[in-house]
Amino acid sequence: QVQLVESGGGLVQAGDSLRLSCAASGRTFSSYAMGWFRRAPGKERDFVAAIRSSAGNTDYADSVKGRFTISRDNAKNTVYLQMNSLKPEDTAVYYCVTRTYYSRSYRPAAVNEYDYWGQGTQVTVSS
């Protein structure tokens, strides 16, 4: 049974930093893409960042480039999202995702690319 458990969310002020963690269990995740999405109140889920298998290539939404960094520790089956210079518009529930199947194509920002989702962790940024 694959499980993704997020942690590290909270209430911060604009300009602060947070680091989210996602602990994965049930398989060895080093060969799987992993990533983060977020859902702001009243909005659809939006792509934030993704990191591909052990090679570590990364993708970011334009809105977080230069402020957020995704990384992974394959020995710990954990993916991280370092969030700096947070803005009120970053307020959302953040979800960890993984894709455990193989295909020729991979669209990191597509919701339906990922077959497992965590429960989410709330990030609130006050102005």
Side-chain angles (χ1 to χ4, degrees), residues 48-123:
V48 177
I51 185 165
R52 307 182 190 215
S53 68
S54 57
N57 295 343
T58 57
D59 299 274
Y60 294 95
D62 288 343
S63 59
V64 306
K65 277 181 184 175
R67 299 188 299 122
F68 291 12
T69 303
I70 189 171
S71 61
R72 65 193 298 163
D73 184 337
N74 289 328
K76 296 182 178 180
N77 263 1
T78 300
V79 64
Y80 304 98
L81 186 68
Q82 178 66 44
M83 306 186 294
N84 298 330
S85 302
L86 283 160
K87 305 175 181 180
E89 51 264 43
D90 295 318
T91 294
V93 177
Y94 283 71
Y95 298 92
C96 177
V97 297
T98 188
R99 187 180 86 149
T100 64
Y101 61 92
Y102 296 96
S103 69
R104 290 185 180 179
S105 66
Y106 171 50
R107 299 166 298 152
V111 168
N112 59 8
E113 281 284 340
Y114 302 95
D115 51 344
Y116 289 96
W117 292 67
Q119 294 292 321
T121 185
Q122 176 70 47
V123 172

Side-chain angles (χ1 to χ4, degrees), residues 19-37:
R19 189 176 82 154
L20 304 183
S21 299
C22 172
S25 62
R27 296 188 188 178
T28 300
F29 288 83
S30 60
S31 59
Y32 299 145
M34 300 188 74
W36 294 90
F37 280 72

